[in-house]
Amino acid sequence: MSFTQDTPAAPPFSPSFPIRSLADIHRLEAVPLHEALTVPSTYEIFRNAGAAFGSKTALTFLRSADPADAPIRWSYAELLAGIHQTANLLHRLGLGPDDAVAVLLPGCLEYHLALWGGEAAGIVQPLNPLLSDDKLAALMTVAGARVLIAYGSDEESGIWSKAMRLRGQVPTLTTVLRVAPYDEAAGSAAALPEGVADFNALRAREPADRLTSGRDIGPGDIAAYFHTGGTTGAPKLARHSHGAQVFTAWASVKLQGLRDTDITINGYPLFHVAGVLPASLASLSAGVEVIIPTPALLRNKAVLANYWRLVEKYRPTSLSAVPTVLAALANVRLAGADISSIKYCRTGAAVLAPELAARFKRLFGMHVHESLGMTEMAGISTITPPGVEGPAGCVGFRLPYSQLRIVALDEHGDASNRDLPPGEQGMVLFKSPNLFSGFLDAADTARAFTADGWLATGDLGWIDAEGRLNLSGRSKDLIIRSGHNIDPKVIEDALGAHPAVQLCAAIGAPDAYAGELPVIFAQLVPGATASEEELLAFTCARVDEAPARPRSVLIIESMPMTNVGKIYKPALRTLAACRVAQALVDQACAALGLTGAQRPQVQADGDNALRVVIDAAAAGPLAAQLQTQLQQVLERLPVKAQVIFL
C-alpha cells in the first residue's frame, strides 16, 4: 500500500488485550502481520499521533532536577510540526533518502526533531558524545554524513568544541546546525562561521504542515544508522529500516499495554536504541507523555537523588532503567514521597541480580519486569508484560511473529545447529520482523548471523515451562578454567547477596596453567564497609561448584560503565590481567634483588594487551636479564604482553 501526505491518518497504536501467556502471543498472531500492522514508516507514526492527540503533552523537558522548577512541554501537534520543519530544512540542505544526518546532542526536546525529522528526510545517525573525536569522525565518514546537528555548548560532554573540530575531519560534512541551550539569552551567541547555522532559526522558516519533499517512505527504506559495540569494544554501524522500528513500537505497545493515559520518564540516552525505540517511539506511538530528565538524564546525580520526588511531582505510570541505575535508586530514600503512580517497573541491558530484584520489591513494592533488547533487533526482542512475574533473569515472551531458538555451543563457543529442549541452556537465536538490515560492513553482517540466517545474539539462556526466555549471561563472558565453562552469573549472584555490595562483576583473570581463573570485582553500597577477605568467604560459601569459586574479590571505587549503564567487563579483564602480570613482574624483580623504582609497572595496552616498560637506567646492569626473564614468564599467560625499554 502506498502512503502519501493526502492519505487519511490511521489510528494510533493501542493494546488489543492483556498479554499474560504465550497463548496470548499466538492469539495476536492469528491476524496476518500485513493486516495487523499497516503503518509503513516512523513518519506515519507521528502523523497518526499528531492527528489523534493534538494538544495533549507529548514531551516534557526538565530544566533541572528540582521538582519545583517549571518544565518545558511540547504537545503532539507541536512535535509533528517540528518534525515537518526539521525534515524540510534537511531537504532544503540537500539531504536525500540515502543521505545521513549525524546527531550530537544531550537529552533535549530537539533530539526528537533530529531523530524523526532526520528519518523523514534521510537516514539519522545518533552519536555518543563521549566518544573520541577520531571515533566520531570515523563513524560519520563511514556513514557519509552530510549534516551534523549539534548542541551549542560544551557544558554537556564538550559537544560544541567536538562539533567544530569534526568539521575538518569528515569529508562529506557540509553543514553544522547549532542547537542553542535553553538558558541562552537571545543574541548572546557568538557569530557562527561559514557552514554553521542556527538550527531553530532555520527550521522556523520551513512549512510545519507537510513534507515539502513529497517523499513516500516505504518500510524497507533505511531510517537510521546506530553505532553498536556494546560491552565488546569497537563500534559498528547497524542499519535500521523504517519497518523494523515501526514493528518495535507496535509490539511494545501490544505487550506492555501502553495507553495515552500513561506517563514515563525516559532516562536512557537518545543515541542508544533503548532510549530511542522502546522508550520513545513506542511511547509516542500510543499517546504516552515522555519526560526527559535534564540534559544529562540519569547521569545527573541530582536527578537520581531527587528521583522519587520527581515521581511524586510528575506521576509517571512506569519506571524503566538499567540494573545499575536501579541499584543506585535502591539507595535513595523515599522520604515520604508518594510513588503510587508507578504501576509497571521494567529493566534490560543486563541480567538482573536476584538480590537487587528482591531489594527493589522489599523497599518499593515493585516487581522488576525484565526485557531483552539489542541494536540488531531495533531495541527489543522479548518483553515481560505487566501482570506477569518471573524470577530474576526471566526476560519474558518473544515478540509476536518472531521466532526463537536455543542451540548448543560449538567447540569455539559459537552457535551450533543443534537445538536444545526447554530447560537446557544454550545460545539464543532469533528471526523477527524487527531484525536490522545488516551492518554497513558486510563482513560484520556475516558474523552476526548463522549460516541458515538466524541472528546469533551471543546471549546464553533457556526456555521455561511457560515459554519465556531466561538469560544467564553472554557466551563471551564465560570463564573457561582448564576447559571447564564457568557461568559468571553464579558468582555474581552469590556476592550480590551481601548487603554491603551494590554492584559486582565476575571475569576470568589470565592464568598460565588453567587459562583463566575466576575473580570478582565489587563496588560497595555508599557508606558500607567490608573487607575483601570477608566478601571472598561469603561468596565461596554460596558457590557450590569448587572450580567456580573465585580466587579473589577486588573492591573498586566504581565499576567501569558503558554510556548506557552496562558494566564494561573488558576494562575489568584488563585490570585483572594487569594485577596478575604485576605479581609475576614483582616476583622476577625480587629474585634479581630489584626494589622500588627499579621495578617496572605493568600498563594496559588497549583492551586486550599489556605492556611492561623497563627503565634501563634504574635497572642498571640487570636490565637485559630482567627483560629476558619477564618475557619468559609473561609469555605463559593467555594474554598478549610486550616488554620494552624506556
Side-chain angles (χ1 to χ4, degrees):
M1 182 177 181
S2 177
F3 280 71
T4 70
Q5 293 179 84
D6 297 323
T7 304
F13 293 160
S14 62
S16 299
F17 44 81
I19 305 298
R20 297 291 184 268
S21 67
L22 192 59
D24 292 327
I25 302 292
H26 293 155
R27 185 178 166 195
L28 285 173
E29 293 170 333
V31 179
L33 179 58
H34 71 273
E35 295 178 15
L37 181 57
T38 60
V39 175
S41 68
T42 60
Y43 169 66
E44 287 299 322
I45 282 179
F46 288 98
R47 206 165 72 91
N48 297 340
F53 304 117
S55 61
K56 182 183 183 300
T57 299
L59 298 171
T60 296
F61 175 77
L62 307 187
R63 295 172 179 267
S64 78
D66 185 347
D69 284 353
I72 304 173
R73 288 189 164 99
W74 281 2
S75 69
Y76 273 87
E78 289 172 313
L79 175 58
L80 177 60
I83 290 170
H84 279 139
Q85 290 176 323
T86 302
N88 294 337
L89 169 58
L90 294 172
H91 175 65
R92 185 181 298 279
L93 292 173
L95 199 81
D98 298 323
D99 297 321
V101 49
V103 184
L104 206 57
L105 294 171
C108 60
L109 295 165
E110 285 86 354
Y111 214 132
H112 286 276
L113 304 187
L115 285 170
W116 315 119
E119 292 193 357
I123 301 169
V124 73
Q125 184 187 20
L127 293 168
N128 178 356
L130 296 179
L131 291 177
S132 67
D133 289 11
D134 289 345
K135 282 190 176 179
L136 290 170
L139 288 167
M140 291 174 65
T141 299
V142 169
R146 298 188 60 182
V147 177
L148 171 63
I149 301 176
Y151 194 60
S153 168
D154 279 347
E155 287 188 13
E156 295 297 328
S157 309
I159 289 178
W160 187 241
S161 292
K162 284 187 178 181
M164 292 298 94
R165 293 192 297 269
L166 287 168
R167 292 173 66 213
Q169 298 179 52
V170 181
T172 54
L173 187 62
T174 60
T175 307
V176 175
L177 297 174
R178 180 181 184 268
V179 175
Y182 296 120
D183 57 358
E184 182 177 276
S188 64
L192 300 177
E194 185 177 353
V196 182
D198 185 307
F199 171 72
N200 284 317
L202 286 190
R203 77 172 176 87
R205 303 173 189 172
E206 300 294 333
D209 60 344
R210 67 191 185 280
L211 294 181
T212 55
S213 67
R215 183 183 177 194
D216 181 9
I217 307 171
D221 291 355
I222 299 301
Y225 295 147
F226 277 92
H227 59 82
T228 180
T231 56
T232 61
K236 301 167 288 189
L237 281 179
R239 300 180 299 158
H240 282 184
S241 69
H242 277 269
Q245 292 193 347
V246 169
F247 181 82
T248 283
W250 176 86
S252 297
V253 171
K254 295 297 183 185
L255 268 69
Q256 295 181 55
L258 298 177
R259 300 182 183 277
D260 60 7
T261 53
D262 286 321
I263 300 170
T264 187
I265 298 176
N266 181 13
Y268 296 103
L270 289 173
F271 60 78
H272 191 275
V273 286
V276 174
L277 300 174
S280 289
L281 186 63
S283 297
L284 295 168
S285 74
V288 175
E289 178 184 343
V290 178
I291 298 171
I292 305 169
T294 79
L297 305 168
L298 295 183
R299 290 191 298 109
N300 184 339
K301 292 181 179 179
V303 169
L304 288 178
N306 288 332
Y307 194 88
W308 303 124
R309 293 175 60 212
L310 292 170
V311 168
E312 183 175 55
K313 168 73 178 288
Y314 291 99
R315 310 304 293 161
T317 53
S318 66
L319 188 165
S320 182
V322 297
T324 51
V325 170
L326 295 182
L329 287 176
N331 296 320
V332 178
R333 292 174 58 85
L334 279 178
D338 177 6
I339 63 170
S340 61
S341 62
I342 298 176
K343 308 301 182 187
Y344 180 49
C345 176
R346 62 182 291 265
T347 193
V351 177
L352 182 68
E355 174 57 30
L356 177 57
R359 190 176 182 206
F360 227 75
K361 183 85 168 182
R362 185 171 65 250
L363 290 172
F364 310 119
M366 297 181 200
H367 176 81
V368 183
H369 300 71
E370 294 181 74
S371 62
L372 171 64
M374 59 195 76
T375 305
E376 294 86 347
M377 286 183 70
I380 200 70
S381 310
T382 66
I383 293 174
T384 302
V388 176
E389 296 194 3
C394 177
V395 294
F397 301 112
R398 63 170 178 81
L399 305 182
Y401 309 100
S402 70
Q403 300 174 66
L404 166 63
R405 290 171 66 195
I406 305 295
V407 300
L409 302 181
D410 64 17
E411 63 273 16
H412 304 295
D414 297 322
S416 74
N417 199 35
R418 181 167 66 87
D419 288 276
L420 296 175
E424 287 196 28
Q425 177 179 281
M427 186 180 292
V428 181
L429 308 183
F430 282 106
K431 286 185 178 180
S432 179
N434 64 344
L435 274 184
F436 77 135
S437 301
F439 295 106
L440 277 183
D441 187 326
D444 289 331
T445 302
R447 286 189 289 268
F449 291 90
T450 63
D452 53 350
W454 290 77
L455 178 68
T457 66
D459 290 305
L460 299 177
W462 72 94
I463 304 296
D464 64 21
E466 286 74 37
R468 301 173 301 187
L469 178 62
N470 293 256
L471 294 184
S472 58
R474 299 279 295 167
S475 60
K476 67 178 182 294
D477 289 339
L478 284 176
I479 301 165
I480 304 175
R481 178 177 184 173
S482 298
H484 180 83
N485 287 354
I486 298 170
D487 182 353
K489 189 173 184 296
V490 172
I491 309 170
E492 291 161 357
D493 287 351
L495 179 55
H498 195 287
V501 173
Q502 177 165 329
L503 299 172
C504 60
I507 54 94
D511 182 74
Y513 173 73
E516 289 183 324
L517 292 175
V519 300
I520 186 163
F521 290 84
Q523 175 182 323
L524 300 184
V525 171
T529 58
S531 69
E532 293 179 345
E533 295 75 18
E534 172 192 346
L535 296 180
L536 179 61
F538 181 90
T539 307
C540 290
R542 286 160 178 77
V543 175
D544 294 333
E545 199 174 9
R549 293 170 187 154
R551 295 295 295 267
S552 61
V553 173
L554 305 171
I555 296 174
I556 55 178
E557 184 175 342
S558 60
M559 285 287 173
M561 297 284 185
T562 68
N563 291 301
V564 75
K566 296 182 184 180
I567 294 175
Y568 188 62
K569 284 194 172 182
L572 296 178
R573 292 190 189 98
T574 299
L575 180 56
C578 285
R579 290 176 65 101
V580 170
Q582 189 65 55
L584 294 174
V585 168
D586 290 344
Q587 289 175 14
C589 288
L592 293 174
L594 298 175
T595 60
Q598 295 176 307
R599 295 188 176 187
Q601 298 298 306
V602 178
Q603 305 167 4
D605 189 9
D607 278 342
N608 302 303
L610 305 176
R611 184 194 307 121
V612 182
V613 181
I614 299 173
D615 185 337
L622 296 175
Q625 185 179 354
L626 177 61
Q627 182 186 39
T628 300
Q629 290 196 15
L630 291 182
Q631 287 172 336
Q632 290 174 349
V633 297
L634 294 177
E635 69 182 9
R636 300 171 193 158
L637 294 176
V639 61
K640 183 179 179 182
Q642 59 174 330
V643 183
I644 60 176
F645 288 111
L646 185 65

